[in-house]
Amino acid sequence: MLSTPRTYLIRSLTLMLFLGAGVFSSFIYAQNLPDSTDVRELLREGEQAADQGNYEHAFDLLNRADSLSFDIGYHKGNETATRLMADAYITRSEPEVAIELLAGLIEENPDSDDLSHHYNSLAQAHSLKGDHKKAIQMFEEAQKYLGRLPSNISERLSIGLLQNSAVAYRSLGQMNAALSNYLEAVEFANSRKDTAILIVLYNNLVTVYNDMEDPERAIYYLRRSLEMAETENSKSDILRARLNLGNALSNNEQYEEALENYELAEGLFLELRPQVPPAILLHNQGSTLAKMGRYEEGEKLMLESLELTEQMGILEGSYYNYLVLGSMYLDTGRLQESVRFLSNASSAAERIGNTEYKLNAVEKLNRAYSRLGDFEEAYRLLNEFNVLSDSLSDLEKERELADLKSQLELTRQSEINRLLEDKQVQQERRIQFQVIMIFSGGVIIALIIVLLFMMKKTSKEREEMLKTLKEQKTELEEVNSSKDKLFAIISHDLRSPLTSMQGILYMMKNNLISKDEVELMVNEMEGSIQKNLNVMEDLLVWAKEQLSGVEMNLKPIDLKKVTDDVVVGQEFVADKKGVKIIQKVPQNMTVLADLNALKMVMRNVVYNAIKFTDKGDIIEISTSENENTTQLLIKDSGIGIPEEAKDKIFDSKNWTREGTQNEKGTGFGLSISKDFLERMNGRIWFESEEGVGTSFFIELPKVQA
């Protein structure tokens, strides 16, 4: 699969990723030497000045820190000052100077605790120079010395090294190794649940989905990354997400929205890096304008970007500017200019050492010479194209690549599938218990009838017996009704997605459908599976309540954590429906409740809010407190509840109604929720106006000091 100009942005941004990771981490656990506080402050200010592009001021501050460290014998300060100066030269696109500084630093400090950081910076410098093979060797060296760092610092740096190695492998066209590193980084970050790292990972997953030609999935993850970055108010991550989102939207032919994101990114770029030329931004704006047919505007911006990348020595940036300009000239009939620019792109690809880049340039050059009538050169280029193509067509590599791509996508689904299988096994067991219960009920009815004939001594006794019989009959009818509904749900609502999955697996096994069709079907099934997980949860709780009752284990519960878990579980269903969930639950708010029961109650209310809202509606989760209790408010802007239905909401006879997109429920959820809250010494109620929306209030006792 051929690379696209979007890769240039992703790679260039990732070069800065984790560049300073752990720069000051060594000081966290360093011995507090006399006057070392002044050194650390100078280093912090120097790094900040370099990030803003004020390099001369940065070098002045770092040299002062180095001199002061020498005076007080603070060796770690000397080390860090040298590495930060090298990092500044990297951001200023002077990799040769950085390599010389870092090589000397490593040679002079073979026993340093910070060798992983030093090798990471050295790898970044080689990557910027275009020597990706050397960069990979340095990343591997950095991995060897992670054990010298505290575990919390080494784990973060390890993820950064995996990502940066993936970028280097991808620049060499070694997609198997790149995807393997990306996958390991994703799994590691998910296990840590580190928001800051996940923001960056979601950004860099774009390269994978671009290669898989899946721009919609790329856009989904970029919007998630942007939302998380805005929540954390991390301007550098917002900038990265805006730029990458613009590229993904441009790939998906959503050009106007792409330009809007570039404009927002431009403001942040000028704020965060006022001294750094915006070569990347100019290139991507120009290429998007060219796609829109606005060739003169696009040409002007890309020529400006080309001049900047050549001045800064960013070889890969020059390649993409040459390639896109040459392609634009080819499309507009400026054939001589097209040949010149595409030839430069081919030369740059050879210097980078990327076969896919070379293949792109040669294929377009062949077309340009053919249109010029130079068929001899066109034929030579065609042969070169075939040789390059053959070098990329190794069957075993393609199979490994396909496996890695599948693993990357299926990792996200594996936990859901495992839970679904567990719930299915549990449900089958509950159904067996239910059948036994119904059979027992029939035996009880028979015994009651026999006893009725035996108890004819007085009319009073007969009346009491008849009354008892009627009550038990009503209860059994309700059980039978619930049982019938349960089997109906299992046979239709829960069976349908499983049958669909079985059908897809059959068609995949027999090669009856394409990969694109599989991805489309799986994407459509995700929302259905999540909805059915909600239904299954209700059925399991109802069955347990019917058989033996649910015991409440009341203890202090962090309301913020429970809310986060519930929102994450329902977020995909909400996204698919176009509904936005905003949660404003503060940290450190504790209530006295049963954890599983509270999750079940909140999941039911949030899912019902999604069920009865339309695209563009908003669900807001907030809290309020009084002296002894805490209230959780879940408010939606949906269709509301009709007056005639309000008395049925908490009805124990499993009353239900369909959602705005014909979603179905069990009818057990809110009834059980009311029962659970009362057993936790809480309560639930609602306020609703038809056509305006509904507010559900959940009140629970505070934890008394």
Side-chain angles (χ1 to χ4, degrees), residues 55-90:
Y55 299 111
E56 297 308 320
H57 184 48
F59 290 137
D60 178 59
L61 291 166
L62 295 172
N63 279 317
R64 286 164 56 190
D66 186 48
S67 177
L68 179 57
S69 297
F70 182 81
D71 290 342
I72 66 175
Y74 187 22
H75 186 67
K76 192 174 288 291
N78 294 118
E79 270 192 72
T80 306
T82 302
R83 186 172 75 250
L84 285 178
M85 280 191 275
D87 289 345
Y89 280 115
I90 293 171

Side-chain angles (χ1 to χ4, degrees), residues 590-592 624-630 700-705:
T590 307
V591 295
L592 191 63
S624 61
E625 295 181 284
N626 57 34
E627 185 177 354
N628 297 315
T629 62
T630 297
L700 286 164
K702 287 184 175 179
V703 177
Q704 300 300 323

Side-chain angles (χ1 to χ4, degrees), residues 329-333 335 366-375:
Y329 293 145
L330 179 62
D331 292 340
T332 55
L335 300 179
N366 169 262
R367 289 165 53 195
Y369 275 111
S370 294
R371 291 179 61 180
L372 280 170
D374 189 343
F375 298 111

Side-chain angles (χ1 to χ4, degrees), residues 213-326:
E213 297 183 355
D214 190 352
E216 291 185 1
R217 186 74 65 177
I219 291 169
Y220 171 80
Y221 278 108
L222 283 169
R223 293 195 193 280
R224 288 289 304 277
S225 176
L226 178 60
E227 183 179 345
M228 294 169 71
E230 288 176 338
T231 300
E232 297 292 321
N233 195 28
S234 174
K235 291 186 178 181
S236 60
D237 289 321
I238 294 172
L239 169 61
R240 186 180 296 111
R242 286 285 181 198
L243 283 169
N244 288 349
L245 182 56
N247 297 334
L249 291 165
S250 182
N251 280 345
N252 205 34
E253 300 182 358
Q254 296 171 246
Y255 302 126
E256 294 295 343
E257 192 175 350
L259 291 175
E260 290 175 9
N261 276 275
Y262 290 143
E263 186 176 351
L264 292 169
E266 185 175 6
L268 284 170
F269 197 101
L270 294 174
E271 177 185 350
L272 298 174
R273 298 187 173 276
Q275 306 299 323
V276 178
I280 297 169
L281 187 59
L282 291 170
H283 169 83
N284 288 287
Q285 286 175 316
S287 62
T288 300
L289 289 168
K291 289 179 181 180
M292 299 170 70
R294 295 161 62 176
Y295 297 115
E296 291 185 7
E297 298 172 76
E299 179 184 23
K300 179 181 177 182
L301 292 174
M302 282 188 285
L303 286 173
E304 188 177 349
S305 174
L306 176 60
E307 182 179 357
L308 291 173
T309 55
E310 291 185 329
Q311 288 175 0
M312 294 186 292
I314 303 176
L315 185 57
E316 197 163 357
S318 298
Y319 163 78
Y320 276 116
N321 278 305
Y322 281 129
L323 183 71
V324 178
L325 281 165

Side-chain angles (χ1 to χ4, degrees), residues 7 24 83 87 114 116 121 133 144 218 224 234 238 254 290 297 321 375 437 467 481 483 664 677 694:
T7 313
F24 293 104
R83 186 172 75 250
D87 289 345
D114 289 336
S116 287
S121 294
K133 291 182 179 179
K144 295 178 182 178
R224 288 289 304 277
S234 174
I238 294 172
Q254 296 171 246
E297 298 172 76
N321 278 305
F375 298 111
M437 184 185 69
K467 182 179 179 181
S481 174
K483 178 264 298 180
K664 297 175 181 175
L677 281 166
T694 301

Side-chain angles (χ1 to χ4, degrees), residues 535-576:
V535 172
M536 187 170 288
E537 286 285 352
D538 285 349
L539 293 176
L540 292 173
V541 173
W542 175 84
K544 185 172 182 180
E545 180 74 5
Q546 294 295 318
L547 289 171
S548 58
V550 178
E551 294 181 4
M552 293 295 163
N553 179 19
L554 301 183
K555 59 183 180 180
I557 300 297
D558 185 344
L559 194 56
K560 169 71 173 173
K561 186 177 184 304
V562 174
T563 306
D564 287 345
D565 289 345
V566 171
V567 170
V568 168
Q570 302 301 314
E571 197 166 25
F572 190 85
V573 177
D575 286 348
K576 292 288 287 183

